[in-house]
Amino acid sequence: MPVRGAAEDEQKVGSGMKARERTVTNEFLRGMPKAELHMHVEGSLEPEIMFEIARRNGVPLRYGSAEEVRKAYDFGDLQSFLDVYYEATRVLLYERDFYDLTSAYLRKAHAQGVRHAEIFFDPQAHTDRGVAFETAITGIHRALLDGRRGLGMSSHLILCFLRHLSAEAAMETLLQARPYRAWIVGVGLDSSELGHPPDEFRAVFEEAARHGFRRVAHAGEEGPPEYIWQALDDLGAARIDHGVRCMEDPGLVRRLREEQVPLTVCPLSNVKLRVFDSIEEHPVRRMLGEDLCVTVNSDDPAYFGGYVADNYTAIRDGLGFTRGEFRRVAENSFTASFLDENSKKKLLANLNAYFAGTQPETLRGV
Ligand code: HPA
Ligand code: ZN
């Protein structure tokens, strides 16, 4: 059988599920070395673990079973999800809970090819309930250390400020983080986007920058392109989380392309939260076509129907992503990370070896 070139690979897109399955199999996508740059650790609380932790901590839940919980995951928008997400964090009380939560994510991510993860956590979701900052971060950090030793997976932790709370509360949280500076690579901004523009948090991001924290921000998920401009210009964000609404503003697309600002796109999340009606309508492939620095991530995998490789699978099925496009997305995931240049180089070499060691697509699955 002749080996097809890239052009033919492109032509096969849209020619039916079977052909695509052979071109880029699930197994190939799961095995592909990748980084995950947009994942909220609290959003990896699977219903089974939620029940287990609730039971041992004596926290009552309003659901009778894990299946019942999953059935309730039918969201109309970001806020309806956040209401459920914050309610579920109530089960997390002790260091061990944060350790177990983080360890479970690392195991799942590792099985889906994640070699490096940059993980968000929401300290205010815990400190506001009376759980100490130290309790949350120590449990998470200990799991990350064990993940490095046990799974060979590197990781960074990013502290997110909740934008539905005040800028003063964010500043207070930054103060609490100071003793743990060495455990935290950067700060981010998440929670309810509409009505909470990035520029409200300018001072706290400036202060974070003075202490050497990297800066990222959720923008352009539900919010308008203007919020992406603000995240770049007012907060100095090095990456934009989501950013999908940039496509409504050609001037912004030009800026993002010229500066190669990484966008941490989460396709299954966007469909689950009804930013787009279906994967078929998601702009992620058009964004890559605009030469934007697109990465693909899971956001809140326990709530949105899949981990990172499941997101890769979804865009293959719904949008016909090709082998070459997946390679660019995986490359971007490493180059857009906050790893040092040497570590990036090693991981990119692994990725190259993975592609080089793989049979030509027409021979796969035959
Ligand atoms: N968007 C904003 N805030 C969040 C999200 C999200 O997708 N997940 C957890 N906090
Ligand atoms: Zn997010």
Side-chain angles (χ1 to χ4, degrees):
M1 191 180 271
V3 174
R4 282 177 205 261
E8 266 176 289
D9 180 31
E10 293 289 337
Q11 280 166 15
K12 278 178 30 172
V13 172
S15 65
M17 186 59 210
K18 268 196 176 147
R20 286 207 297 273
E21 273 286 343
R22 266 212 309 277
T23 307
V24 191
T25 63
N26 290 358
E27 183 197 13
F28 183 77
L29 292 176
R30 288 175 76 94
M32 189 183 296
K34 56 181 83 66
E36 174 149 61
L37 306 179
H38 184 161
M39 201 291 297
H40 305 259
V41 74
E42 294 89 349
S44 67
L45 184 64
E46 293 285 350
E48 288 75 15
I49 308 175
M50 189 196 304
F51 267 85
E52 188 187 320
I53 296 178
R55 189 183 37 77
R56 76 185 183 212
N57 290 349
V59 177
L61 291 175
R62 62 189 166 99
Y63 305 102
S65 67
E67 295 73 58
E68 218 181 284
V69 176
R70 282 209 173 82
K71 280 208 191 96
Y73 291 172
D74 181 20
F75 310 113
D77 57 11
L78 174 59
Q79 192 58 53
S80 63
F81 154 69
L82 289 171
D83 294 342
V84 175
Y85 167 93
Y86 292 126
E87 190 193 338
T89 62
R90 288 182 311 112
V91 305
L92 305 168
L93 295 179
Y94 305 109
E95 190 185 311
R96 176 184 168 196
D97 305 335
F98 291 92
Y99 178 89
D100 289 351
L101 170 72
T102 310
S103 300
Y105 163 70
L106 292 175
R107 283 193 298 274
K108 289 230 169 68
H110 185 260
Q112 296 213 353
V114 175
R115 296 292 166 259
H116 173 71
E118 303 200 343
I119 298 174
F120 295 137
F121 79 123
D122 286 336
Q124 289 161 290
H126 313 303
T127 53
D128 275 15
R129 302 180 288 115
V131 172
F133 187 100
E134 180 187 8
T135 302
I137 197 167
T138 307
I140 296 168
H141 179 71
R142 214 156 45 77
L144 298 183
L145 285 183
D146 285 351
R148 264 165 236 169
R149 280 192 286 263
L151 302 169
M153 204 174 139
S154 62
S155 51
H156 283 150
L157 194 54
I158 297 176
L159 180 165
C160 278
F161 303 115
L162 300 186
R163 68 204 301 163
H164 70 274
L165 301 177
S166 67
E168 292 71 35
M171 197 66 96
E172 170 63 23
T173 304
L174 184 61
L175 258 178
Q176 290 178 313
R178 294 275 300 282
Y180 305 97
R181 175 68 193 87
W183 294 359
I184 304 170
V185 77
V187 298
L189 186 66
D190 67 359
S191 194
S192 323
E193 188 180 7
L194 286 170
H196 301 287
D199 64 355
E200 290 175 7
F201 295 87
R202 190 187 176 117
V204 69
F205 272 68
E206 270 172 12
E207 181 66 8
R210 267 196 289 279
H211 291 281
F213 289 101
R214 308 292 192 109
R215 289 160 287 165
V216 299
H218 282 55
E221 176 185 16
E222 284 189 341
E226 172 60 18
Y227 285 17
I228 302 177
W229 287 103
Q230 285 183 17
L232 297 170
D233 295 332
D234 294 313
L235 305 187
R239 293 197 300 245
I240 299 294
D241 296 313
H242 292 295
V244 288
R245 286 194 60 191
C246 74
M247 296 301 272
E248 298 167 26
D249 180 343
L252 179 57
V253 170
R254 209 173 313 121
R255 162 104 183 255
L256 295 169
R257 177 176 44 244
E258 278 168 14
E259 296 180 12
Q260 284 296 291
V261 178
L263 305 170
T264 62
V265 178
C266 307
L268 286 175
S269 164
N270 292 152
V271 173
K272 204 68 180 149
L273 300 187
R274 312 211 186 166
V275 176
F276 303 103
D277 289 338
S278 65
I279 283 286
E280 286 76 9
E281 285 160 71
H282 197 285
V284 61
R285 194 165 179 213
R286 284 190 288 121
M287 291 166 78
L288 203 63
E290 288 280 0
D291 282 331
L292 298 180
C293 183
V294 169
T295 67
V296 170
N297 310 272
S298 70
D299 207 4
D300 299 283
Y303 293 90
F304 299 151
Y307 287 76
V308 64
D310 303 318
N311 276 268
Y312 279 48
T313 307
I315 58 176
R316 176 203 60 199
D317 295 345
L319 294 165
F321 259 65
T322 64
R323 216 176 121 91
E325 286 169 328
F326 281 120
R327 188 173 186 160
R328 275 174 63 200
V329 163
E331 274 169 11
N332 289 343
S333 75
F334 293 126
T335 54
S337 74
F338 292 138
L339 283 166
D340 59 72
E341 290 308 313
N342 224 10
S343 306
K344 285 186 190 181
K345 234 196 222 158
K346 277 190 204 147
L347 288 162
L348 286 166
N350 283 348
L351 181 66
N352 285 339
Y354 184 77
F355 272 88
T358 309
Q359 289 174 294
E361 53 269 14
T362 48
L363 301 181
R364 293 184 61 78
V366 178

